[in-house]
Amino acid sequence: MRAHYPSDPRITAGIVALAAIALLIGGAFAGLIREGAHDLSGAASAFDLYLLRVVRFTLWQAALSTLLSAVPALFVARSLSRHPRFFGRGFILQLFTVPLALPAIVGALGILALYGRAGYFAAIGGQSWPDIYGLSGILVAHVFFNLPLATRLFLEALGTVPADQWRLASQLGMGARPAFRLIEWPVLRAALPGVAGLVFMLCITSFTIVLILGGGPAATTLEVAIYQALRFDFDPARAVTLTVLQIALTFAVMLALTRLGANMTGDANLPVAPRRYHLAGKAETAFNAVLIVLALLFVAGPMAATVASGLGADLGRLAGESAVRQATLTSAGLAFSAALLSVALSLSLIMARRALSLRRRSSARSLLEHATDTGAGFVLVVPPIVIGAGWFLLLRTVSDVFAIAPVMVVTVNAVMAMPFAIRAMRPAYDAASERHEKLCAQLGIAGWNRLLLVDWPSLRRPLATGFAFAMALSLGDLGVIALFGSDSVQTLPYLLLARMGSYRTADAAGLALLLGLVCLALVVAADWLGRGERS
């Protein structure tokens, strides 16, 4: 089944999308190369003890965060898997999806509200309560975000165990330890490298959490150091050196993840528990219950603190401030534009990949087909702060970099959301193409006519899913706007950061509640739309 169009517009659209991605990333690299060539001595002198300390801390905090997230998640997932039906299990799994919807700045504020010196625990512990800023705060925040993600991925892996194995284990009277060693551990061991690698990648590219919870030069990662070098010190040479090192680290991690087969976007869907025949004993049930409750309290605590602190703010006054209203409108407009661009680029790559695969006459894929399949994933190698730094350096000599903030925020956030949008839309488009490709080729239906008349009914809900998720990601992003933001262009995360910097913590808590609820509503809508498509 092949479509024989003289010039397939789907392939043209894919080429345009690839060119847009290449322009965004290539422009960033051009800015870095230009600045590095202009000041080679300055870039070389940036290799000092401070740089070594930053690199070492970046790797150390990522390694510790991965260990503290993946290992407990393994046992929490096993506990949930061993008890596929109990009251509240669905609520716990739904709650574990909330950190994926929360912007990092909202989660960080929730952790400060709970564990900080002015937090709820400090009110109980008194003056002896330790400071949360520094490595401890970064680790707590990373575990808060990544423990639920790792738990769901491990739970998904355990869901692949055939029901026949559990039936046989039950018939043989197999206890908890033999069942773990012979049935569960082989599956978990196979999933562990990929899950741990994914968490490590998320922690090594963490920007907002380290920016808010880091304890100064002693707790600074490469991405935060890039931001400081450009916005505070204005040392382009050091920024170039830091950026090159960040790219090298993320590329090495991504290469390792590819070999491990890690799922870089995770899965927004909750796994369905298979029928189980192996019952847990009383001691194991009690142990599993304790693990689940502890994980639940750890994840729910910062969320509850965020809601409580936000409700304690003067929300009416905040809603009446012109700065808040303007930041809300700016955030909504930029997020809407970024989501629209993201789904357009993603759909172009999806259609081009399918058209090229149908035209293929051998098992070997062409370079263009390979690019349409993996082009969006390549953006994960270059974090947003790195792209922003490159364009900041490129444009600072030819225009006002702060005047182009809206363009940079929209384009970078759109491209960064593409892997998630593609994941939501590709299965539906491939299935629709499988049904209608031959008919479209015979009738000569192509271009907009095909998209509107043939593909749109199948793409409507998954496209809305990708759009909502991309909009939520853009709304909560702080990476690019932290570089390009100014008094004239402020988003809600940028305004929230400014209120924190001026010690207006009550205002920051209210803004965090507003931002968190909007992003959560968008992700819930995306999940509902995705479920409707699958049903």
Side-chain angles (χ1 to χ4, degrees):
M1 180 178 62
R2 291 186 177 90
H4 297 284
Y5 299 127
S7 178
D8 196 328
R10 295 178 296 177
I11 299 177
T12 304
I15 293 174
V16 172
L18 287 174
I21 297 172
L23 177 62
L24 181 67
I25 299 177
F29 278 106
L32 296 173
I33 294 172
R34 175 184 175 183
E35 190 65 39
H38 178 71
D39 191 4
L40 288 174
S41 60
S45 64
F47 286 93
D48 52 16
L49 291 178
Y50 170 75
L51 182 61
L52 178 62
R53 188 163 61 246
V54 170
V55 173
R56 184 172 56 197
F57 181 81
T58 301
L59 295 173
W60 177 239
Q61 62 85 21
L64 284 178
S65 299
T66 302
L67 181 67
L68 294 175
S69 300
V71 174
L74 190 149
F75 292 100
V76 174
R78 178 180 178 271
S79 298
L80 289 169
S81 176
R82 300 280 280 183
H83 304 278
R85 294 179 182 85
F86 63 86
F87 178 76
R89 186 179 189 272
F91 169 76
I92 294 173
L93 293 179
Q94 290 287 353
L95 190 69
F96 275 18
T97 66
V98 174
L100 299 178
L102 282 182
I105 191 170
V106 176
L109 281 178
I111 288 169
L112 284 175
L114 188 63
Y115 302 107
R117 281 289 181 88
Y120 295 104
F121 281 171
I124 301 174
Q127 296 296 325
S128 61
W129 187 257
D131 192 2
I132 193 66
Y133 288 100
L135 179 61
S136 58
I138 294 171
L139 294 179
V140 171
H142 281 164
V143 175
F144 166 75
F145 281 104
N146 296 316
L147 174 67
L149 172 63
T151 298
R152 293 187 312 108
L153 293 176
F154 281 132
L155 192 58
E156 181 181 358
L158 288 171
T160 63
V161 176
D164 291 343
Q165 292 189 15
W166 291 114
R167 185 187 299 111
L168 180 61
S170 178
Q171 293 172 350
L172 296 176
M174 189 177 294
R177 290 185 179 180
F180 175 76
R181 180 170 56 88
L182 298 175
I183 299 177
E184 294 169 319
W185 175 240
V187 175
L188 293 173
R189 181 178 57 194
L192 181 59
V195 174
L198 173 59
V199 173
F200 187 86
M201 181 68 179
L202 294 173
C203 295
I204 206 174
T205 57
S206 176
F207 170 73
T208 304
I209 288 174
V210 181
L211 179 65
I212 295 175
L213 296 175
T220 298
T221 59
L222 283 169
E223 292 202 9
V224 174
I226 294 169
Y227 166 74
Q228 292 171 343
L230 289 177
R231 285 302 298 257
F232 298 115
D233 304 329
F234 197 72
D235 188 350
R238 179 175 291 277
V240 169
T241 304
L242 292 165
T243 303
V244 170
L245 285 175
Q246 177 68 32
I247 293 173
L249 282 177
T250 52
F251 180 79
V253 174
M254 275 289 294
L255 185 62
L257 288 174
T258 301
R259 292 183 175 274
L260 292 170
N263 178 7
M264 289 308 301
T265 62
D267 189 354
N269 307 321
L270 294 174
V272 179
R275 185 180 178 186
R276 298 292 297 272
Y277 297 88
H278 191 273
L279 300 178
K282 292 183 179 179
E284 183 187 2
T285 299
F287 177 76
N288 292 338
V290 170
L291 277 180
I292 294 172
V293 169
L294 289 177
L296 175 64
L297 292 176
F298 180 81
V299 174
M303 300 180 198
T306 299
V307 174
S309 299
L311 293 177
D314 191 348
L315 297 178
R317 179 182 57 80
L318 280 176
E321 289 188 16
S322 60
V324 174
R325 293 200 303 269
Q326 184 60 42
T328 303
L329 291 175
T330 301
S331 294
L334 295 180
F336 182 88
S337 301
L340 193 63
L341 180 59
S342 180
V343 296
L345 293 174
S346 301
L347 185 58
S348 298
L349 291 184
I350 291 170
M351 293 189 301
R353 168 187 168 273
R354 179 63 179 172
L356 289 168
S357 66
L358 292 172
R359 285 188 171 194
R360 192 198 316 153
R361 299 180 181 278
S362 64
S363 58
R365 296 195 301 175
S366 65
L367 180 62
L368 181 58
E369 183 183 351
H370 184 74
T372 57
D373 191 25
T374 60
F378 181 74
V379 302
L380 297 175
V381 179
V382 189
I385 191 69
V386 171
I387 297 178
W391 279 96
F392 189 97
L393 295 172
L394 181 66
L395 298 172
R396 70 185 182 92
T397 58
V398 296
S399 67
D400 181 8
V401 293
F402 300 109
I404 62 168
V407 177
M408 292 307 306
V409 170
V410 168
T411 52
V412 175
N413 287 341
V415 173
M416 289 299 163
M418 284 180 65
F420 300 93
I422 288 176
R423 183 181 182 89
M425 293 187 292
R426 180 188 287 177
Y429 183 82
D430 288 348
S433 175
E434 188 70 29
R435 294 192 301 268
H436 305 132
E437 195 70 37
K438 182 180 294 186
L439 179 62
C440 290
Q442 292 173 347
L443 298 178
I445 303 176
W448 285 106
N449 289 331
R450 169 172 177 160
L451 180 61
L452 296 177
L453 298 176
V454 178
D455 297 327
W456 177 250
S458 300
L459 283 175
R460 184 173 51 204
R461 291 184 71 94
L463 190 145
T465 300
F467 182 90
F469 207 88
M471 191 170 178
L473 291 177
S474 182
L475 268 175
D477 178 71
L478 184 62
V480 182
I481 195 65
L483 275 179
F484 290 90
S486 62
D487 291 338
S488 58
V489 181
Q490 292 186 342
T491 61
L492 276 176
Y494 188 86
L495 181 63
L496 200 162
L497 183 64
R499 295 292 170 92
M500 290 182 63
S502 58
Y503 300 102
R504 299 171 66 177
T505 54
D507 287 358
L511 293 173
L513 178 61
L514 171 64
L515 182 60
L517 289 177
V518 173
C519 292
L520 180 61
L522 285 170
V523 173
V524 169
D527 180 69
W528 176 79
L529 289 168
R531 288 175 180 273
E533 175 65 21
R534 290 187 297 273
S535 62

